[in-house]
């Protein structure tokens, strides 16, 4: 990977454990880090974010090589991994911290995000009104170390085995068939 040409994207699609795990499997992704963005509290903790009072969303910040994987491909994965029609929730995870959100850095990236939303709508993958927020990026706060690679370290934890594991298997099947995954 050419470290001089790396770019970053930050978005939230529900619980960051499964989103982070999947993005770290993609060719062209240098890192996917779980964290928090969009709130008013500096350096929030997981416990604080879970209250819904900090305004932060659980997000993943992805560093990637656009010569290997495009912004549009990352957006396709993003919309594959979560339901953008569920307001402030994903499945049984409920609260503003689980909102669907794309953080953009400039107007050009905002336009690409708007196009990605439109492309996803036209795909027919999700029925209903999209509620994905487009928000100007401000700050990213990495989550506590125990959240990084959480699924890989805790695959038998009840939430992971019931929710994260099946989502990852579906992701691996679909994107593996497209040749987008790193070799295991």
């Amino acid at each position: 990977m050419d470290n001089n040409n790396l770019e970053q994207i930050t978005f939230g699609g529900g619980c960051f454990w499964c989103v982070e795990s999947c993005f770290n499997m993609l060719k062209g992704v240098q890192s996917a880090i779980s964290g928090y963005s969009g709130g008013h509290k500096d350096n929030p903790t997981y416990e604080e974010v879970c209250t819904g009072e900090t305004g932060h969303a659980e997000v993943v910040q992805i560093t990637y090589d656009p010569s290997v994987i495009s912004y549009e491909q990352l957006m396709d994965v993003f919309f594959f991994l979560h339901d953008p029609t569920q307001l402030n929730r994903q499945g049984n995870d409920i609260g503003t911290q689980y909102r669907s959100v794309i953080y953009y850095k400039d107007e050009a990236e905002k336009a690409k995000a708007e196009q990605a939303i439109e492309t996803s709508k036209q795909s027919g993958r999700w029925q209903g009104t999209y509620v994905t927020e487009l928000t100007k990026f401000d700050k990213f706060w990495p989550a506590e170390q125990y959240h990084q690679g959480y699924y890989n370290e805790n695959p038998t934890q009840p939430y992971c085995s019931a929710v994260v594991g099946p989502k990852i298997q579906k992701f691996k099947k679909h994107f593996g068939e497209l040749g987008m995954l790193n070799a295991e």
Side-chain angles (χ1 to χ4, degrees), residues 12-133:
C15 175
F16 50 33
W17 292 343
C18 55
V19 176
E20 175 258 348
S21 294
C22 292
F23 278 95
N24 273 316
M25 293 180 210
L26 292 168
K27 291 177 184 175
V29 171
Q30 183 187 55
S31 67
I33 300 171
S34 294
Y36 317 108
S37 282
H40 53 80
K41 177 156 188 344
D42 288 350
N43 204 24
T45 65
Y46 180 69
E47 290 75 20
E48 291 169 331
V49 171
C50 284
T51 68
E53 295 176 12
T54 67
H56 287 289
E58 285 192 18
V59 299
V60 176
Q61 187 167 76
I62 297 163
T63 302
Y64 68 101
D65 183 342
S67 70
V68 179
I69 189 167
S70 69
Y71 180 93
E72 292 76 13
Q73 288 172 307
L74 292 170
M75 285 287 102
D76 186 46
V77 173
F78 171 68
F79 286 113
F80 181 89
L81 290 175
H82 83 292
D83 182 345
T85 69
Q86 291 189 349
L87 183 61
N88 297 328
R89 71 178 298 161
Q90 284 299 301
N92 290 328
D93 293 330
I94 300 171
T96 58
Q97 67 271 28
Y98 300 115
R99 68 189 177 268
S100 176
V101 59
I102 301 169
Y103 293 96
Y104 62 89
K105 293 185 177 61
D106 55 33
E107 289 303 309
E109 195 170 90
K110 180 181 181 185
K112 289 192 325 188
E114 289 170 338
Q115 181 57 54
I117 291 169
E118 198 53 43
T119 298
S120 181
K121 286 179 183 178
Q122 291 174 9
S123 77
R125 184 180 291 149
W126 302 105
Q127 301 302 309
T129 302
Y130 276 54
V131 294
T132 303
E133 294 177 14

Side-chain angles (χ1 to χ4, degrees), residues 20-21 25 149-155 168:
E20 175 258 348
S21 294
M25 293 180 210
Y150 189 86
Y151 175 78
N152 292 340
E153 298 297 321
N154 303 280
I168 289 174

